Amino acid sequence: MPEKLSTNIKYLKGVGPARAAYLAKLNIFSIEDLLTHYPRRYEDRSYFKPIKLLEDNEVQTFRATVVAVEERKPRRGLTLTKVTVRDDSAVAQLVWFNQSYRKTRYRPGMELIVYGKAERRFNTIQLVNPEVEIVDEVEELLNVGRIVPVYPATENINQRVLRQLVRQALTDCHPIPEILPGNIICRYNLIGRDQALESIHFPPDKDALTQARRRLVFEELFFLQYGLLYLKNRNKHEFQGIKHAQDGKLSKEVLARLPFTLTTDQQVALQEIKADMEDTRPMQRLLQGDVGSGKTVIAALALVKTVENGYQGAMMAPTEILAEQHFHTLSRLLANLGIRLALLTGRLTKRERDQVLANLRNGLVDIVIGTHALLQDDVHFKHLGLVVTDEQHRFGVRQRALLQAKGKMPDVLVMTATPIPRTMALTVYGDLDVSVIRTLPPGRKPIKTYSVTGEMRGRVYNFVAREVAAGRQAYVVCPLVEESDKLEARAAVQMYEQLARTYFKGLTCGLVHGKMKSQEKDAVMNAFYSGKIQVLIATTVIEVGVNVPNATVMVIEGADRFGLAQLHQLRGRIGRGEHQSFCILISDSKSEESKERLAIMTTTQDGFVLAEKDLLLRGPGQFFGTRQHGMPDLKIADIVRDLDILLEARQAAQQAVTRPEIFNELQSVLKLRFGEAFNMIFYN
């Protein structure tokens, strides 16, 4: 990346250390960050209206000459500055409150361009606090008289400041060097980067803006796709993996032991995984399936296959309680088969941990199930053959690579119960082959889902109490207040105290939230799992949690605050046993979009349908939070709106990734885009 673009933002004229600190809140640390801090929308201030034709209560632009300037102080603490302007058609008053500097800024005879909301009062036209540019004062109009960018901003960094800083950066760095290969620019008819950045910030017209956006969206998606495809290509072709033999006696016996028949989807997924494992190329496969679709048993059969071939298997889960659940599930499934299992989590004593580590190192453990503890430097395997990560969206490329590095190119299987729309899978999991389990095992009763207003709250909680009295258990999920563990914890505590005092008086209630220590959370979850707690009041920490077949009710307060994918994950905590389950969504939102989203929840339980709807309704946003994947955030691309460009960028990346010399050409850009994850992804 050229030196100027990587310069610290504090050295840009007009910034300095104090303003740099405010810009940091917008994730702007360098000139490149500023130039890729794209406008969120635009205002067309290029059309000048005659003053006479200004419409009441409409935001408009006009050009006029200053006639008079006056200042009055109608009362203590209030200063009124009034500038009278006119054009060939009429007169208007510009008014500011407590902005005395305006009195000396404008003088009769000055020509102004004015942008603001016009108000017609008593036969006068008035604009309060308009935006004004003095025509003779600026070489280039940035705030009026053109299509004007509107940026995400923060305190002490307003729109005018951002526009001025971007203009300064564009001037200082001109011409901005190209970062896409020339043949790609020609083939896909893209404009140059210098022109694109100029036009995305200060478009001369709408056509230039369209071309600029297409170029920058393509560029962003190209580098993301190139990184993913490079990783996939390297793993497939540059490394010799483990070639597992076809199923032997042990694999066949475990399959025969299952108390159920695999669904068609499970059988297809298992065959795809086995084919990968029996190949010399390292497996890099994503297994995605809805909540309760039976992914764990497929992972277990894959782990047995690697053990049968003389290797060790590792399974990583995002929480201790989920790791323990997997450990118990596999222990039951593999009992009396001579397969040695171990659990490695943070709650082991030093002595217990040291023993597990020694056994792993010496090959005395066949399958280890654990949390992030598996990633620590002192965890060594004798012969690691297969790595499985569960709830993949909680981990990422970097963590996956760390665990894989503990063996000699072991096979990798990653699983997620979060159904991923096709566009999202291309974007986030472009380095993986994908297997999908869509159908649920037979016998699962559909969860009855209802959307109600707060007026029904009393009836809802009385119903919960009746279910508990009948021997069932229930969840109550508190609303997502905002991205703050502290606020969510407070909301959860208040709800817990209120419910325990009223509707659930006499019942055993538990509370879990993000501010609790993991040991405290696990203790409460274990008590719920064992049936000692009847009603669990929680925040979304239970989104990925234990399997409690006896839990039949899920109440979600403030359901409008959640996306469909998250609501579906929460609903997936119930419906796992023989009894009918109920999910009740409580919302007082008047928003039509919220009502539509909750209505969709009541009509379908297909997670893939819901994921697609969620993406269309809410946009991609941070569908998983790409940063934790080691993936760069999308600053301008919208993978729903820009699917055509995504497919073009992927095609270009597929062609580029086959040419080794291009990687050398793009290294500096990839390093900037992928940040800290660069070395782990590209050089591990």
Side-chain angles (χ1 to χ4, degrees):
M1 182 54 57
E3 193 175 323
K4 277 188 180 178
L5 292 178
S6 60
T7 302
N8 190 305
I9 194 66
K10 70 181 178 183
Y11 297 116
L12 180 69
K13 183 182 176 182
V15 181
R19 191 166 267 177
Y22 290 114
L23 288 168
K25 294 181 180 179
L26 295 169
N27 290 316
I28 297 173
F29 303 97
S30 67
I31 305 292
E32 169 83 10
D33 292 336
L34 177 63
L35 293 180
T36 55
H37 184 72
Y38 298 116
R40 56 186 168 87
R41 62 184 177 87
Y42 298 85
E43 292 177 353
D44 190 349
R45 306 180 183 180
S46 59
Y47 173 62
F48 297 147
K49 269 192 172 181
I51 292 176
K52 184 179 179 180
L53 299 181
L54 294 178
E55 295 176 42
D56 190 32
N57 279 319
E58 291 290 326
V59 177
Q60 294 140 105
T61 306
F62 64 92
R63 191 168 185 146
T65 303
V66 177
V67 175
V69 180
E70 62 175 309
E71 182 179 273
R72 291 191 293 114
K73 295 185 178 180
R75 64 172 186 270
R76 190 175 179 181
L78 177 62
T79 302
L80 195 68
T81 305
K82 185 182 289 186
V83 175
T84 303
V85 297
R86 72 172 305 146
D87 65 6
D88 293 338
S89 69
V91 173
Q93 307 283 346
L94 315 181
V95 180
W96 291 273
F97 298 100
N98 293 328
Q99 297 183 39
S100 290
Y101 71 91
R102 302 271 182 185
K103 178 185 174 183
T104 56
R105 181 165 175 72
Y106 306 117
R107 298 184 305 277
M110 269 186 177
E111 192 171 357
L112 308 179
I113 294 178
V114 182
Y115 174 81
K117 182 185 283 188
E119 297 176 354
R120 290 180 171 271
R121 291 182 175 178
F122 312 114
N123 295 320
T124 64
I125 299 170
Q126 181 176 289
L127 292 90
V128 178
N129 293 327
E131 287 198 48
V132 177
E133 293 278 11
I134 302 170
V135 174
D136 293 339
E137 191 177 86
V138 286
E139 293 179 12
E140 179 186 10
L141 298 173
L142 297 183
N143 302 293
V144 293
R146 63 174 309 134
I147 297 174
V148 174
V150 180
Y151 298 95
T154 186
E155 60 174 329
N156 296 328
I157 302 289
N158 61 29
Q159 295 298 328
R160 295 178 77 95
V161 168
L162 278 167
R163 289 172 199 142
Q164 191 58 53
L165 293 179
V166 170
R167 178 71 273 163
Q168 185 68 50
L170 286 168
T171 302
D172 288 357
C173 297
H174 178 76
I176 293 167
E178 187 52 71
I179 59 175
L180 282 176
N183 65 326
I184 288 176
I185 292 172
C186 292
R187 186 182 307 136
Y188 293 96
N189 196 26
L190 303 170
I191 63 172
R193 190 166 200 245
D194 184 67
Q195 184 186 346
L197 285 170
E198 175 69 39
S199 293
I200 201 73
H201 292 290
F202 301 111
D205 53 53
K206 291 181 179 178
D207 182 58
L209 176 57
T210 300
Q211 287 190 54
R213 188 180 181 280
R214 179 174 178 270
R215 152 65 206 235
L216 294 169
V217 168
F218 184 99
E219 171 188 305
E220 186 169 65
L221 293 172
F222 170 80
F223 284 109
L224 177 60
Q225 290 299 313
Y226 183 90
L228 291 165
L229 291 167
Y230 179 88
L231 183 60
K232 183 175 185 177
N233 197 51
R234 187 197 62 171
N235 286 338
K236 288 282 185 190
H237 302 296
E238 294 184 25
F239 295 115
Q240 185 76 12
I242 295 165
K243 181 176 172 60
H244 291 79
Q246 291 188 352
D247 285 359
K249 184 181 176 183
L250 186 60
S251 289
K252 291 173 181 174
E253 186 174 347
V254 174
L255 187 59
R257 272 184 169 209
L258 294 178
F260 49 82
T261 303
L262 295 180
T263 64
T264 303
D265 283 357
Q266 284 177 311
Q267 290 175 31
V268 170
L270 183 59
Q271 289 308 314
E272 289 172 340
I273 290 165
K274 284 180 178 179
D276 282 355
M277 293 179 74
E278 291 166 12
D279 198 319
T280 54
R281 296 174 298 180
M283 174 170 71
Q284 295 280 323
R285 184 166 290 276
L286 169 70
L287 176 59
Q288 64 163 320
D290 222 333
V291 176
S293 61
K295 296 179 299 299
T296 304
V297 70
I298 301 302
L301 291 167
L303 287 165
V304 168
K305 186 176 181 71
T306 206
V307 171
E308 184 176 53
N309 281 264
Y311 295 98
Q312 295 166 294
M315 187 175 192
M316 184 165 66
T319 64
E320 290 189 352
I321 199 152
L322 196 53
E324 288 178 8
Q325 183 179 305
H326 284 322
F327 176 74
H328 294 311
T329 300
L330 265 64
S331 295
R332 287 194 300 272
L333 182 63
L334 309 179
N336 307 317
L337 289 173
I339 297 176
R340 299 161 296 183
L341 299 174
L343 181 67
L344 185 62
T345 64
R347 70 169 60 182
L348 297 184
T349 64
K350 185 179 184 304
R351 185 176 177 182
E352 290 170 333
R353 187 174 189 279
D354 288 346
Q355 186 62 59
V356 171
L357 294 181
N359 289 345
L360 274 174
R361 201 165 46 244
N362 297 321
L364 300 176
V365 167
D366 298 312
I367 299 172
V368 62
I369 298 99
T371 56
H372 284 85
L374 288 171
L375 301 176
Q376 292 175 5
D377 291 340
D378 59 353
V379 178
H380 300 282
F381 294 81
K382 187 173 184 181
H383 297 296
L384 182 60
L386 175 65
V387 170
V388 179
T389 57
D390 191 18
E391 293 305 339
Q392 167 58 24
H393 68 285
R394 298 302 180 97
F395 299 115
V397 171
R398 186 172 177 276
Q399 289 95 329
R400 210 159 70 218
L402 275 170
L403 188 52
Q404 188 179 13
K406 293 183 179 293
K408 295 179 179 177
M409 292 311 297
D411 287 330
V412 173
L413 176 66
V414 297
M415 305 193 297
T416 179
T418 303
I420 309 157
R422 172 174 167 263
T423 48
M424 211 65 193
L426 278 177
T427 308
V428 181
Y429 296 122
D431 61 319
L432 303 174
D433 297 311
V434 181
S435 293
V436 179
I437 303 177
R438 290 192 74 108
T439 53
L440 296 181
R444 293 284 295 265
K445 291 184 179 178
I447 299 164
K448 293 184 178 179
T449 304
Y450 304 94
S451 177
V452 301
T453 64
E455 294 174 352
M456 297 281 285
R457 191 172 277 108
R459 290 178 62 182
V460 169
Y461 287 127
N462 283 329
F463 170 72
V464 173
R466 288 198 300 275
E467 279 288 295
V468 172
R472 310 285 83 77
Q473 290 168 273
Y475 295 94
V476 176
V477 177
C478 297
L480 189 70
V481 181
E482 60 178 62
E483 292 298 322
S484 162
D485 280 346
K486 191 173 181 181
L487 284 173
E488 287 182 40
R490 190 168 66 208
V493 170
Q494 289 170 351
M495 179 159 286
Y496 169 77
E497 291 172 348
Q498 182 185 351
L499 290 175
R501 198 171 54 243
T502 54
Y503 298 106
F504 300 157
K505 192 174 183 179
L507 302 181
T508 310
C509 298
L511 170 68
V512 287
H513 57 71
K515 292 296 284 183
M516 293 168 68
K517 292 178 180 174
S518 59
Q519 295 94 328
E520 294 174 314
K521 274 190 283 195
D522 286 346
V524 175
M525 294 296 285
N526 273 322
F528 187 64
Y529 180 57
S530 63
K532 294 173 185 172
I533 288 175
Q534 295 167 300
V535 182
L536 184 64
I537 293 103
T539 58
T540 54
V541 294
I542 59 135
E543 182 186 350
V544 176
V546 291
N547 180 23
V548 183
N550 193 44
T552 59
V553 187
M554 166 71 67
V555 179
I556 304 175
E557 289 274 3
D560 55 283
R561 296 175 182 268
F562 301 89
L564 283 172
Q566 195 167 32
L567 289 172
H568 183 62
Q569 283 289 301
L570 290 167
R571 179 169 62 183
R573 297 298 101 218
I574 58 174
R576 292 163 172 259
E578 57 181 309
H579 303 286
Q580 179 63 58
S581 290
F582 306 88
C583 178
I584 304 164
L585 311 170
I586 301 178
S587 167
D588 286 317
S589 173
K590 301 292 189 290
S591 159
E592 289 304 316
E593 190 228 286
S594 295
K595 290 177 182 176
E596 182 183 352
R597 200 162 68 244
L598 299 183
I600 291 167
M601 280 292 293
T602 66
T603 56
T604 182
Q605 296 190 35
D606 187 324
F608 292 90
V609 171
L610 289 169
E612 294 286 356
K613 295 271 190 186
D614 207 21
L615 202 55
L616 289 170
L617 283 171
R618 286 162 46 104
Q622 291 288 313
F623 195 83
F624 296 126
T626 46
R627 184 164 288 146
Q628 67 193 14
H629 282 261
M631 295 293 103
D633 287 330
L634 296 178
K635 291 186 174 184
I636 191 169
D638 175 331
I639 59 170
V640 177
R641 171 183 170 188
D642 299 321
L643 177 59
D644 290 346
I645 303 177
L646 169 62
L647 296 175
E648 280 187 331
R650 186 170 176 82
Q651 181 186 56
Q654 284 170 328
Q655 292 163 350
V657 84
T658 59
R659 297 171 56 194
E661 73 277 8
I662 286 189
F663 177 70
N664 297 326
E665 185 183 332
L666 301 181
Q667 262 196 74
S668 60
V669 184
L670 290 165
K671 195 164 190 175
L672 185 76
R673 297 291 167 105
F674 284 81
E676 293 176 2
F678 176 80
N679 288 333
M680 179 58 63
I681 294 170
F682 296 102
Y683 287 123
N684 177 55

